[in-house]
Amino acid sequence: MGAYVVRRLGESLLILLGISLVTFALLYLVPADPERQIAGRSATAETVANIRAQLGLDQPFHIQYARYLGNLLQGDLGRSYLQRTEVSELIAARMPATLLLMLAAIVVELILGLTIGAIAALKRNSAVDQSLMVFSFVTISAPQFVVGILLLYVFAVQLGWFPIGGYGTLAHLVLPAITIGLLGTGWYSRMMRSSMIDVLAQDYVRTARAKGLGKLRIIFRHVAPNAILPIIAMIGIDIGLFMSGIVVVESVFGWPGIGQLAWQAIQRVDIPIIMGVTLVSACFIVLGNLLADLIAPLVDPRIKLK
Amino acid sequence: MTEATAEAPAAGRPRGTGAVLRDLLRRPRSAFGLIVIVLMVGAAVFAPWIMPYDPNDQMFDGLSLEGAPLPPSGQFWLGTDLLGRDLFSRLILGAQTSLIIGVLANGIAVVVGATVGITAGYFGGWIGGILMRFTDLMMAFPALLLAIVLAAIFKPSLLIVAMVIAMVNWVQMARVIYTETRSLAQREFIEVQRAMGSSTLRILGRHILPHLVYSIIVFGTLGISTTVLLEATLSYLGVGVQPPTPSWGNIIFENQTYFANAPWLVFFPGLAIVLLALAFNLLGDALRDTLDPRLKGRH
């Protein structure tokens, strides 16, 4: 196990290094002329050249990358071109909002997904099962901006139960968390359904039934816990799904997290912020995958370590 | 119908297109998916004849006296947008955009993904190592963020949007094909071919590829759904298909400030996106069941 953990850690670091290189290369190629944006329209060629030199944009690729990487290792993500603030500070300031949203979304998708999947498995092939599975297909086929706007329309504009967007109270959290959580609900309900069906076919479930145990007792004590185990590891992988959605959901709901930060930066071509958020999100995804790989063999000893 | 039900699917053996199609039409979910796809493709192909109005015409009677968009009515079936254009006509033209990008982007992704997967899986070694490490790397990229950055960098045309989507979408296919090719490459019949001196190209084309066709069809179908969603999202954010070319995503983008007063401007394009993505998801899932009997009843 020890060697496995070390090897997976090493791989993760390599992937992060690769991501930093690809992100940097992509943005190096951007024909965006940030120096011109900073200098303004009326600036002379000389001013523009000065700013270019100041930002180090006149250096060749490998030198720029080496310097970027060196700073990165010290936790320095650079400075925003337009806001003149450290990117790490900007991201750190918005991180709590994003983490809160992520946590709430995971709670939503686990509650909804596991319940729906369990009911579908218990009522296998019935009309209930069919409708629940169609629902799970709809949730993975609906783009998050459509879900978000429709939830806003129904529950904020028409019913007035929740605020139309923003941040601060529990009420603000509900709609964005459901919007993100619904996507995961679709995946979890399908996994839970097939996992439950597997467990229901096991001998020990038949034994429990033969012993005359109550139906609910069998489900909650014997079936559900074993069905959930293989799914727990999926939460890690889920973080990747989540990170892809935050840009859209945070801008629909005006949620002040790193997704909104990235979206604002993309519109202003504020490259250091875009790179910073991409890297931080990639870190989350890599960490999530790593956790999933490490947890999976713990909860299910049948999984062999490669 | 009796003829179709009498015929049990032969486990594990390749079946004709007709048999597969019958099977798909017998399942309510995939039949629904097929119907939606046929209708939408029909609408896209015959758009000029179906559209009741010119989709770019800002009609004088398309707005109320106060200048607000009109709700659905006998004259404008799905209402009009902020500029007084007929929403139904724009949605039909939007179907064209979504399907063109969906098929194009997914086509590129399938070709790239399958090529990478087969190459890495068959040859292994350092080529395979590098290709699969690169695939891992792409897996760890926040896909949508990457697509947004790319789309914002290049001035988006239809082709660019399709390329951007393909760039983030080939990974899934590559991984599936890699795993399958790797296990195929170690099977005896491939070793026999090698021992008999068949050329690599012949082995890949005649003996490996045919075994991968089902997976390519299944994941290719599911991939269209991802592509449609990604296009809609990019266009909604304003970095995808650019107005005045209508796309379901950019119709919502253009009208969203007014959605509290004119919800049909979000509801109908949103419904169109969900229906098309759902149709391909249902079809892909049913194809997986039909083509691979090992998985029957598990999904």
Side-chain angles (χ1 to χ4, degrees):
Chain A
M1 187 77 192
Y4 173 73
V5 173
V6 170
R7 222 196 61 203
R8 284 292 288 116
L9 270 176
E11 278 176 10
S12 302
L13 283 176
L14 272 180
I15 286 182
L16 286 178
L17 187 69
I19 285 173
S20 77
L21 180 63
V22 173
T23 321
F24 190 84
L26 275 177
L27 293 165
Y28 178 82
L29 299 171
V30 179
D33 298 332
E35 61 272 19
R36 193 154 275 288
Q37 288 211 6
I38 297 167
R41 260 165 220 260
S42 54
T44 59
E46 199 187 344
T47 320
V48 174
N50 271 339
I51 293 175
R52 211 174 138 74
Q54 240 179 48
L55 295 173
L57 296 172
D58 52 347
Q59 306 282 333
F61 176 79
H62 61 277
I63 296 192
Q64 283 194 43
Y65 178 65
R67 199 168 59 183
Y68 171 71
L69 199 61
N71 290 338
L72 211 57
L73 290 176
Q74 296 163 36
D76 180 1
L77 292 168
R79 267 168 184 280
S80 157
Y81 284 162
L82 300 170
Q83 301 188 36
R84 313 303 290 157
T85 328
E86 292 286 334
V87 173
S88 48
E89 282 172 25
L90 286 171
I91 291 180
R94 280 159 173 269
M95 211 55 204
T98 296
L99 287 177
L100 182 65
L101 185 54
M102 182 186 323
L103 208 66
I106 290 176
V107 170
V108 169
E109 63 192 14
L110 281 178
I111 293 178
L112 286 180
L114 298 183
T115 315
I116 290 176
I119 294 175
L122 292 171
K123 308 263 175 201
R124 195 178 170 191
N125 295 336
S126 69
V128 177
D129 177 23
Q130 290 288 339
S131 356
L132 287 176
M133 284 304 105
V134 168
F135 172 76
S136 84
F137 271 106
V138 173
T139 62
I140 61 170
S141 307
Q144 291 175 318
F145 67 93
V146 171
V147 176
I149 296 174
L150 287 181
L151 287 178
L152 271 179
Y153 180 73
V154 176
F155 295 103
V157 177
Q158 291 296 320
L159 297 172
W161 293 356
F162 300 105
I164 296 187
Y167 180 69
T169 66
L170 195 63
H172 288 98
L173 181 61
V174 176
L175 294 181
I178 293 178
T179 305
I180 295 186
L182 271 181
L183 179 63
T185 300
W187 296 116
Y188 280 113
S189 57
R190 293 175 62 192
M191 279 188 294
M192 182 65 177
R193 179 176 177 274
S194 71
S195 178
M196 279 278 280
I197 288 174
D198 280 351
V199 175
L200 283 170
Q202 299 287 322
D203 287 339
Y204 62 82
V205 176
R206 203 179 310 154
T207 311
R209 247 186 234 131
K211 280 199 308 194
L213 291 184
K215 200 172 177 191
L216 282 179
R217 194 183 155 87
I218 296 177
I219 292 169
F220 283 106
R221 285 288 297 277
H222 299 277
V223 181
N226 286 306
I228 290 171
L229 277 184
I231 295 172
I232 290 178
M234 292 304 296
I235 298 175
I237 291 169
D238 206 41
I239 293 173
L241 216 62
F242 176 83
M243 277 298 165
S244 266
I246 53 165
V247 175
V248 176
V249 176
E250 288 188 359
S251 32
V252 168
F253 288 95
W255 189 262
I258 62 170
Q260 194 193 42
L261 179 70
W263 176 232
Q264 290 164 350
I266 287 167
Q267 286 169 317
R268 298 178 198 145
V269 205
D270 201 335
I271 292 172
I273 295 184
I274 303 175
M275 284 204 287
V277 175
T278 310
L279 262 184
V280 170
S281 319
C283 283
F284 269 97
I285 297 175
V286 170
L287 202 68
N289 287 344
L290 185 68
L291 280 179
D293 280 0
L294 296 181
I295 292 174
L298 292 182
V299 292
D300 189 350
R302 286 169 300 181
I303 298 173
K304 276 199 216 113
L305 305 180
K306 281 189 289 187
Chain B
M1 202 61 203
T2 44
E3 191 190 46
T5 35
E7 182 185 314
R13 248 186 300 131
R15 291 183 297 139
T17 320
V20 171
L21 200 62
R22 270 200 299 278
D23 200 15
L24 290 177
L25 284 172
R26 237 191 350 249
R27 299 154 183 257
R29 285 191 223 159
S30 51
F32 172 78
L34 271 176
I35 291 169
V36 170
I37 292 168
V38 168
L39 283 179
M40 294 229 181
V41 170
V45 172
F46 299 107
W49 295 278
I50 301 174
M51 290 184 298
Y53 298 92
D54 173 359
N56 287 320
D57 185 15
Q58 306 184 7
M59 287 171 285
F60 181 68
D61 59 351
L63 293 172
S64 70
L65 289 177
E66 294 80 28
L70 298 174
S73 66
Q75 190 188 1
F76 303 107
W77 293 352
L78 302 183
T80 59
D81 73 358
L82 289 186
L83 298 176
R85 294 173 296 191
D86 179 46
L87 184 61
F88 183 56
S89 305
R90 290 185 69 72
L91 285 186
I92 290 176
L93 203 59
Q96 235 177 32
T97 320
S98 285
L99 283 167
I100 289 174
I101 292 192
V103 170
L104 196 64
N106 195 53
I108 303 171
V110 166
V111 171
V112 173
T115 311
V116 169
I118 292 175
T119 314
Y122 187 76
F123 296 104
W126 63 271
I127 305 179
I130 290 177
L131 283 175
M132 288 329 282
R133 286 297 85 72
F134 185 65
T135 311
D136 287 347
L137 201 157
M138 293 299 293
M139 287 284 268
F141 248 104
L144 183 62
L145 196 57
L146 178 66
I148 295 172
V149 171
L150 288 174
I153 291 174
F154 304 105
K155 289 280 164 265
S157 66
L158 284 195
L159 187 67
I160 294 284
V161 175
M163 299 273 278
V164 163
I165 295 172
M167 261 175 88
V168 300
N169 250 9
W170 59 271
V171 188
Q172 182 74 26
M173 178 67 82
R175 290 193 69 104
V176 172
I177 296 298
Y178 167 75
T179 317
E180 293 196 6
T181 310
R182 229 171 83 113
S183 77
L184 277 172
Q186 289 158 358
R187 295 260 291 276
E188 268 174 20
F189 72 99
I190 296 295
E191 270 172 36
V192 169
Q193 287 295 327
R194 252 189 241 124
M196 279 164 56
S198 297
S199 74
T200 308
L201 217 59
R202 194 186 150 84
I203 296 179
L204 287 179
R206 292 286 297 273
H207 301 284
I208 301 263
L209 201 57
H211 287 270
L212 300 172
V213 168
Y214 286 170
S215 297
I216 293 178
I217 292 176
V218 169
F219 285 90
T221 309
L222 292 171
I224 298 181
S225 153
T226 324
T227 319
V228 167
L229 291 179
L230 208 50
E231 182 272 317
T233 305
L234 289 179
S235 300
Y236 164 73
L237 290 171
V239 293
V241 178
Q242 298 299 304
T245 306
S247 123
W248 296 334
N250 76 22
I251 292 174
I252 298 180
F253 166 70
E254 287 179 314
N255 297 300
Q256 65 165 337
T257 45
Y258 213 67
F259 84 92
N261 298 309
W264 62 90
L265 289 172
V266 170
F267 181 74
F268 291 119
L271 186 68
I273 300 167
V274 176
L275 274 179
L276 189 60
L278 179 65
F280 280 108
N281 267 332
L282 291 175
L283 183 65
D285 192 64
L287 275 171
R288 174 164 42 197
D289 272 8
T290 317
L291 296 177
D292 191 347
R294 277 173 303 172
L295 295 171
K296 200 150 257 177
R298 284 183 48 96
H299 290 276

